[in-house]
Amino acid sequence: MQNKFKATTALLISAAGAVLTLPNISPFTMDSFTLGLFNHGFLAATIGGLADWFAVTALFRKPLGFISYRTEILKRNRQRIMEAIVDFVSSDLLSAKNIVDNIKSESTANLLIAYFERNDGREKIKSLINETLIEIATTADTKSIAKSLTPIIKSEAQNIDANQIIDVVVKIVTKEEHSRQILTNIFEALHNIFKSEPIQESMKNKIENLRKEYESDSPGRALVLNALNLTDEKILTIISENVDKKITGTIKTLIGTEIDPNTITTAANLTMYFKNFLQGVTSDENTQKFFSDMKTVLANNFDFADYVKNWLDIYLKSKEYLENQKKIKDIEDTATHIIKVEKVRPIWQNAIENVVDSKIDEFIKSPVLQDKFDRFVKNLLEKIINNYHHAIPGMIRERLDKLTDDELTKFVEEKVSDDLQMIRINGSICGGFVGIVLYLISYGIKFATGNL
């Protein structure tokens, strides 16, 4: 409130000057013309300052606490002012055109590349995917999976080498109907994990950190977010609803209950990526070791289902791996022959990281992909903005309605009061100049007519 102090000081100096330059009581020794000139200037400055003080004060409260005629303008015209604010923000400041134009002025592809290269985005993406897959893997029922796979593997594994086993398994699993069923199960598990309390809490914390970082760059951003009532919980709800819609739509596409050219293409791409992923996994040396060991235990009539389950626990769930002096016959027997216990990376982890790295490198090097991504994001955002822009006035109005008259007055006063004090300062200065000019005109007329 530095300007308020200046305005009050100017008013007090003007009032004091008006009193001290009154004829007959002025302590200053000067001729009547000079004394009159100062007196009229200070008097007019006092009147201008008082008038503007009254005007500025009347916007927010009753001047002197009791003058109620056409004062407290903000409170008395709350509804009209609120509607004007809502209309200005939604139709001008945050109009759909302004938002879309600002988005189109930026390159979303460059922003994504900057995230990958300067914000450790590449590692964060891989970490997020790995954590998600680990969560899915740890909740997988390996016993049921092993039971389902055992008849297939047993019937196909006799008298063929490890490479043939791998080819057979991949061909069976990557058949259209099998791929779709497996991917459906994966997305259902992913859906459940996304809705779980730990994931939701983690996302809420990330949103809170991003919001604080966003607001720290400019105080105005916090005001806009508060005006739009974009709380952390509301942002999380919007994200959750969109993710829920996307995952549900993907599941419907995979099981064939939703027919649409775009979703059919999406399903085809998913099954293709799944096939490529399996091929990457099956080239892993741990996979080769598994099939080699499997042939040995088959020769000894090993309980194949139990072995598959334990292999999945080790290489899918990344449980502790037990090394043995002898060849592994039964996971229970190894307890008396343990040399060491080590944590094994999930078999799919290297394949996933390689796929992510290759796709990111391909995106960074390809202007075509960047342009395609940029257009896709901007078209999507434009569609979302146009579809939901009508909700902005309601959000602003809802936020303003929560404020009482006193809270609204305080909120507005804190934002603009310091600037309004310049009216008072200008009123005192302009009033002083006008008083001096009028005195000179009056003096000149008297001088010309001989009435001095």
Side-chain angles (χ1 to χ4, degrees):
M1 292 294 181
Q2 187 177 5
N3 286 338
K4 184 176 182 179
F5 175 77
K6 293 178 181 178
T8 303
T9 301
L11 178 60
L12 292 176
I13 291 174
S14 299
V19 172
L20 293 175
T21 56
L22 286 171
N24 302 323
I25 67 170
S26 174
F28 303 110
T29 302
M30 59 183 70
D31 59 84
S32 59
F33 169 78
T34 304
L35 189 64
L37 184 68
F38 278 108
N39 181 254
H40 279 72
F42 280 127
L43 187 60
T46 302
I47 295 171
L50 281 172
D52 289 333
W53 164 81
F54 184 92
V56 171
T57 304
L59 289 172
F60 307 107
R61 61 185 62 84
K62 298 176 183 178
L64 301 178
F66 64 87
I67 302 177
S68 60
Y69 181 72
R70 294 187 179 277
T71 58
E72 292 186 305
I73 294 173
L74 190 60
K75 289 183 180 180
R76 293 161 63 93
N77 297 274
R78 172 184 176 129
Q79 195 58 41
R80 184 164 56 85
I81 293 172
M82 284 177 55
E83 289 302 322
I85 293 174
V86 170
D87 182 66
F88 169 72
V89 174
S90 60
S91 301
D92 189 354
L93 184 62
L94 293 179
S95 68
K97 183 178 183 303
N98 283 346
I99 298 174
V100 171
D101 287 345
N102 282 324
I103 292 174
K104 288 184 175 180
S105 67
E106 298 287 342
S107 171
T108 57
N110 288 340
L111 292 175
L112 183 59
I113 292 173
Y115 173 73
F116 288 144
E117 295 183 335
R118 295 197 291 271
N119 295 288
D120 202 23
R122 184 188 295 262
E123 295 304 317
K124 290 177 181 177
I125 292 294
K126 289 192 288 188
S127 176
L128 176 63
I129 294 174
N130 281 328
E131 288 176 7
T132 303
L133 291 177
I134 288 173
E135 187 70 21
I136 294 173
T138 54
T139 58
D141 185 355
T142 53
K143 186 174 182 179
S144 297
I145 295 173
K147 186 177 180 180
S148 300
L149 290 176
T150 297
I152 301 173
I153 298 175
K154 274 189 175 182
S155 64
E156 299 292 339
Q158 298 294 338
N159 302 318
I160 59 174
D161 60 27
N163 289 331
Q164 288 177 319
I165 295 175
I166 293 173
D167 290 338
V168 169
V169 173
V170 170
K171 287 178 181 178
I172 293 173
V173 174
T174 55
K175 285 183 178 179
E176 182 72 10
E177 63 273 19
H178 296 160
S179 296
R180 285 178 177 266
Q181 185 59 51
I182 292 171
L183 288 171
T184 299
N185 293 337
I186 290 174
F187 275 101
E188 287 176 347
L190 181 63
H191 198 192
N192 291 332
I193 292 169
F194 179 79
K195 293 190 294 185
S196 65
E197 185 175 344
I199 296 296
Q200 291 289 306
E201 189 63 29
S202 176
M203 288 182 61
K204 184 178 178 182
N205 292 336
K206 292 289 186 184
I207 290 170
E208 181 181 0
N209 293 336
L210 288 173
R211 176 183 56 76
K212 288 180 179 178
E213 182 179 346
Y214 176 76
E215 292 178 351
S216 66
D217 293 337
S218 171
R221 294 179 175 178
L223 175 62
V224 173
L225 289 178
N226 288 332
L228 297 178
N229 195 28
L230 286 178
T231 62
D232 297 339
E233 292 77 7
K234 194 155 190 176
I235 294 173
L236 178 60
T237 299
I238 293 172
I239 293 174
S240 297
E241 289 176 351
N242 279 278
V243 172
D244 183 82
K245 182 178 178 181
K246 291 293 183 184
I247 294 179
T248 302
T250 302
I251 292 174
K252 289 181 179 179
T253 299
L254 289 169
I255 62 179
T257 59
E258 186 174 285
I259 304 300
D260 179 81
N262 293 328
T263 57
I264 290 174
T265 301
T266 300
N269 289 336
L270 285 173
T271 53
M272 180 186 68
Y273 291 145
F274 179 69
K275 182 177 180 179
N276 293 337
F277 165 75
L278 282 182
Q279 291 173 342
V281 168
T282 52
S283 65
D284 187 273
E285 61 181 15
N286 289 324
T287 307
Q288 302 291 336
K289 181 178 182 298
F290 162 70
F291 282 100
S292 177
D293 290 343
M294 185 180 66
K295 290 179 65 176
T296 301
V297 297
L298 279 174
N300 296 313
N301 297 317
F302 181 68
D303 185 348
F304 199 81
D306 195 39
Y307 184 85
V308 172
K309 176 187 180 302
N310 288 312
W311 185 88
L312 290 173
D313 285 338
I314 293 170
Y315 294 111
L316 180 66
K317 293 189 175 184
S318 189
K319 287 188 175 180
E320 288 77 13
Y321 175 70
L322 308 179
E323 276 203 356
N324 200 320
Q325 289 177 330
K326 303 177 182 179
K327 287 186 178 294
I328 296 177
K329 293 183 180 180
D330 192 322
I331 199 69
E332 294 178 357
D333 292 340
T334 62
T336 58
H337 302 287
I338 296 174
I339 294 178
K340 63 179 180 178
V341 178
E342 61 178 340
K343 197 80 169 178
V344 178
R345 281 165 62 92
I347 193 171
W348 41 262
Q349 193 162 343
N350 288 335
I352 285 293
E353 292 179 355
N354 290 336
V355 168
V356 172
D357 281 329
S358 64
K359 291 301 179 183
I360 290 176
D361 290 338
E362 182 182 358
F363 179 81
I364 292 174
K365 296 176 182 178
S366 174
V368 175
L369 288 179
Q370 293 170 23
D371 182 64
K372 185 176 180 180
F373 172 82
D374 191 57
R375 285 187 284 108
F376 170 77
V377 172
K378 289 177 178 178
N379 290 337
L380 178 62
L381 291 176
E382 183 175 6
K383 184 177 179 181
I384 292 173
I385 290 167
N386 288 330
N387 288 342
Y388 295 99
H389 185 266
H390 65 275
I392 290 180
M395 295 168 63
I396 301 171
R397 191 176 291 106
E398 179 183 355
R399 170 60 180 161
L400 293 176
D401 284 340
K402 290 181 179 179
L403 299 175
T404 64
D405 288 346
D406 291 335
E407 289 173 340
L408 180 62
T409 299
K410 182 180 178 181
F411 174 77
V412 176
E413 188 173 9
E414 286 177 348
K415 302 302 179 184
V416 301
S417 179
D418 201 50
D419 292 326
L420 289 176
Q421 300 305 317
M422 288 302 301
I423 296 176
R424 294 177 55 194
I425 296 173
N426 292 333
S428 295
I429 295 173
C430 292
F433 279 116
V434 170
I436 290 173
V437 171
L438 291 177
Y439 178 79
L440 290 174
I441 293 173
S442 174
Y443 190 88
I445 292 173
K446 288 181 181 179
F447 180 81
T449 57
N451 292 325
L452 291 177

